[in-house]
Amino acid sequence: MTLEKRLDNNIKALSQIGSDPTGGMTRLLYSDSWLEAQKFVEGTMQEIGLETSYDEIGNLFGRVTGTKYPEETILSGSHIDTVVNGGTLDGQFGVMAAYLAIQQLLETYGKPLRSLEVISMAEEEGSRFPTVFWGSKNFVCEASREQVEDIADSEGLKFVDEMRRQGFDFAKEAKTRRDDIKAFVEIHIEQGNVLENEKLQIGVVNNIAGQKRYTFVLRGEANHAGTTPMGYRRDAVYGFSKICSGIIDRAFAEGDPLVVTFGKVETKPNTVNVVPGEVLFTMDCRHTDANELNRFTKEAEAYMKEVASELGLTLEIDLWMDETPVPMDESVVEVVENAAKTKEMKYKLMHSGAGHDSQVIAPHYPTAMIFVPSIKGISHNPAEATDLADLVAGVEVLTQALYELAYKE
């Protein structure tokens, strides 16, 4: 069977688990569909000759032991969970690409010199419980019991109860981080439209952007829309409009790779005939350079305070996410780039504006990522799609990279 057919069959079969009759797929951490998906992946990995195991919290591993350097492991994979009503590629493509790549290698070259391992991570999205990267954080021993002991989903079901219902639990003893991982390579759809617009097949990711997320509350004074002269107003929406347009103008002037987004806006009292007295809004800002990200956001905060002062408003600032950029390992990036060249793929070095499990793993193990194009850049949506030929091209580059890392001296 060709790689194209194998991949197509796997996508269709795995995407039935958690599928929504209205389109899309929902497979949330520790749900029944989540466990069914992990069991499907486990069975597929066993069929191609991998030894499978789970860790305490539900990360799934499939392994073939190296013939010469069994204590050195080359790892690939991604996460198996989805967002609510998401697409059929985000996360799971990286899992199936990894085991299909290893299947190709085993059939072509036999067992590797170094051990090859697939990881199907329990969770990355944060779609059910208020926690993210649960799978990768456990893998690198950064997760803690205290982070999840008291949390629940929107229906009031407790994280711990649901984990135990599916047969998993916290580690009984403190774990130490594995010392056998020599490289991790994650393949993922781009979730943007750069590759498609530039007519490229492969993105070789050399950096994951840092991001800061804020919630702001801008307060003025609610008043009658007809009897309050313009000069007497303390209009919170007017203040927000100046802040929003001013900072976005500055972001355009800065240019790539900086991006800034005001994604949530709530006004009070939100009534047609009342001058708005309060606006709650968010700002998401990302950059691949930590110094530039810090500089821009500090300047943005100062500009907001200046606007608020000029208009007689008050401003509350809550910085609730502050993630630094994560560079990929230069040597592993070079391996992936050479794999793209060997396979004669049209590619580019690029950064990721979205977060991935690789950003958790990269500080501990040499890591790189491979992107394949996303049609119209759509993701986290039932319309999420990538041409099958582009998916196959990605698996071919991953296969070549794993060959270089695991089969050569």
Side-chain angles (χ1 to χ4, degrees), residues 345-365:
M345 300 294 180
K346 297 178 180 178
Y347 77 94
K348 73 175 293 180
L349 288 168
M350 64 187 298
H351 75 275
S352 172
H356 296 285
D357 287 306
S358 287
Q359 74 189 59
V360 176
I361 294 174
H364 306 285
Y365 305 112

Side-chain angles (χ1 to χ4, degrees), residues 184-190 195 202-209 288 326-334 336-337 340 347-356 358-359 362 367-372 397:
F184 173 65
V185 183
E186 180 180 14
I187 188 169
H188 207 280
I189 58 171
E190 182 193 348
L195 294 175
I202 298 292
V204 180
V205 178
N206 56 10
N207 200 309
I208 297 178
T288 57
V326 180
M328 300 292 97
D329 182 83
E330 290 182 2
S331 63
V332 185
V333 169
E334 184 178 2
V336 174
E337 186 175 9
Y347 77 94
K348 73 175 293 180
L349 288 168
M350 64 187 298
H351 75 275
S352 172
H356 296 285
S358 287
Q359 74 189 59
T367 297
M369 288 193 74
I370 302 168
F371 277 169
V372 294
V397 172

Side-chain angles (χ1 to χ4, degrees), residues 15-16 18-27 82-88 380-384:
S15 298
Q16 290 301 308
S19 64
D20 190 315
T22 63
M25 185 169 61
T26 301
R27 200 159 61 215
T82 73
V83 299
V84 175
N85 201 30
T88 60
H380 286 185
N381 184 309
E384 174 183 279

Side-chain angles (χ1 to χ4, degrees), residues 159-177:
F159 183 101
V160 174
D161 292 343
E162 286 295 278
M163 177 172 62
R164 289 172 176 159
R165 182 175 71 87
Q166 299 297 12
F168 302 103
D169 208 338
F170 301 111
K172 292 181 172 57
E173 298 177 359
K175 293 173 61 178
T176 57
R177 194 176 299 121

Side-chain angles (χ1 to χ4, degrees), residues 205-280:
V205 178
N206 56 10
N207 200 309
I208 297 178
Q211 55 182 297
K212 291 177 183 281
R213 294 184 186 178
Y214 293 83
T215 297
F216 301 93
V217 180
L218 194 62
R219 290 191 177 91
E221 183 177 68
N223 218 326
H224 197 289
T227 62
T228 309
M230 298 303 291
Y232 295 166
R233 296 182 179 208
R234 294 170 57 212
D235 185 338
V237 163
Y238 178 46
F240 168 71
S241 70
K242 294 190 72 171
I243 286 169
C244 181
S245 62
I247 291 175
I248 289 178
D249 284 345
R250 291 174 184 221
F252 273 117
E254 292 274 344
D256 294 336
L258 176 80
V259 291
V260 66
T261 304
F262 293 89
K264 178 180 179 179
V265 183
E266 296 177 352
T267 65
K268 291 183 181 179
N270 200 25
T271 302
V272 66
N273 60 347
V274 178
V275 176
E278 181 178 304
V279 177
L280 178 148

Side-chain angles (χ1 to χ4, degrees), residues 58-352:
N59 286 324
L60 169 64
F61 301 87
R63 180 179 176 87
V64 56
T65 301
T67 58
K68 189 172 182 180
Y69 308 107
E71 73 286 353
E72 297 181 8
T73 301
I74 308 303
L75 183 69
S76 185
S78 194
H79 60 96
I80 200 67
D81 67 312
T82 73
V83 299
V84 175
N85 201 30
T88 60
L89 296 172
D90 182 3
Q92 72 173 21
F93 168 61
V95 174
M96 66 181 71
Y99 65 65
L100 289 174
I102 293 175
Q103 182 180 18
Q104 295 278 106
L105 290 169
L106 292 175
E107 291 176 351
T108 305
Y109 304 104
K111 289 191 174 182
L113 299 180
R114 295 173 188 82
S115 299
L116 277 168
E117 194 166 320
V118 181
I119 180 170
S120 178
M121 281 175 269
E123 187 274 342
E124 186 252 22
E125 299 286 5
S127 295
R128 182 179 185 187
F129 301 100
T131 186
V132 294
F133 299 119
W134 177 243
S136 52
K137 285 181 177 178
N138 271 277
F139 176 70
V140 299
C141 301
E142 284 187 353
S144 71
R145 187 186 190 115
E146 292 71 29
Q147 293 170 337
V148 297
E149 267 190 321
D150 298 321
I151 64 175
D153 65 12
S154 60
E155 297 179 356
L157 296 172
K158 293 183 177 180
F159 183 101
V160 174
D161 292 343
E162 286 295 278
M163 177 172 62
R164 289 172 176 159
R165 182 175 71 87
Q166 299 297 12
F168 302 103
D169 208 338
F170 301 111
K172 292 181 172 57
E173 298 177 359
K175 293 173 61 178
T176 57
R177 194 176 299 121
R178 287 173 58 174
D179 60 5
D180 63 309
I181 307 298
K182 301 306 176 186
F184 173 65
V185 183
E186 180 180 14
I187 188 169
H188 207 280
I189 58 171
E190 182 193 348
Q191 301 179 282
N193 58 1
V194 173
L195 294 175
E196 182 183 51
N197 287 344
E198 297 185 15
K199 295 180 170 47
L200 300 171
Q201 299 164 288
I202 298 292
V204 180
V205 178
N206 56 10
N207 200 309
I208 297 178
Q211 55 182 297
K212 291 177 183 281
R213 294 184 186 178
Y214 293 83
T215 297
F216 301 93
V217 180
L218 194 62
R219 290 191 177 91
E221 183 177 68
N223 218 326
H224 197 289
T227 62
T228 309
M230 298 303 291
Y232 295 166
R233 296 182 179 208
R234 294 170 57 212
D235 185 338
V237 163
Y238 178 46
F240 168 71
S241 70
K242 294 190 72 171
I243 286 169
C244 181
S245 62
I247 291 175
I248 289 178
D249 284 345
R250 291 174 184 221
F252 273 117
E254 292 274 344
D256 294 336
L258 176 80
V259 291
V260 66
T261 304
F262 293 89
K264 178 180 179 179
V265 183
E266 296 177 352
T267 65
K268 291 183 181 179
N270 200 25
T271 302
V272 66
N273 60 347
V274 178
V275 176
E278 181 178 304
V279 177
L280 178 148
F281 62 96
T282 61
M283 184 177 78
D284 178 309
C285 189
R286 310 188 188 201
H287 201 294
T288 57
D289 184 292
N291 291 331
E292 290 300 306
L293 178 61
N294 290 332
R295 176 192 60 79
F296 184 87
T297 51
K298 286 299 181 186
E299 290 178 0
E301 290 178 36
Y303 175 71
M304 291 184 191
K305 292 174 183 177
E306 180 182 326
V307 170
S309 178
E310 288 176 356
L311 300 180
L313 310 173
T314 62
L315 178 69
E316 290 182 9
I317 300 174
D318 178 16
L319 172 62
W320 52 271
M321 177 187 281
D322 189 0
E323 299 286 347
T324 58
V326 180
M328 300 292 97
D329 182 83
E330 290 182 2
S331 63
V332 185
V333 169
E334 184 178 2
V335 168
V336 174
E337 186 175 9
N338 287 336
K341 292 176 181 176
T342 299
K343 292 297 182 179
E344 299 181 339
M345 300 294 180
K346 297 178 180 178
Y347 77 94
K348 73 175 293 180
L349 288 168
M350 64 187 298
H351 75 275
S352 172

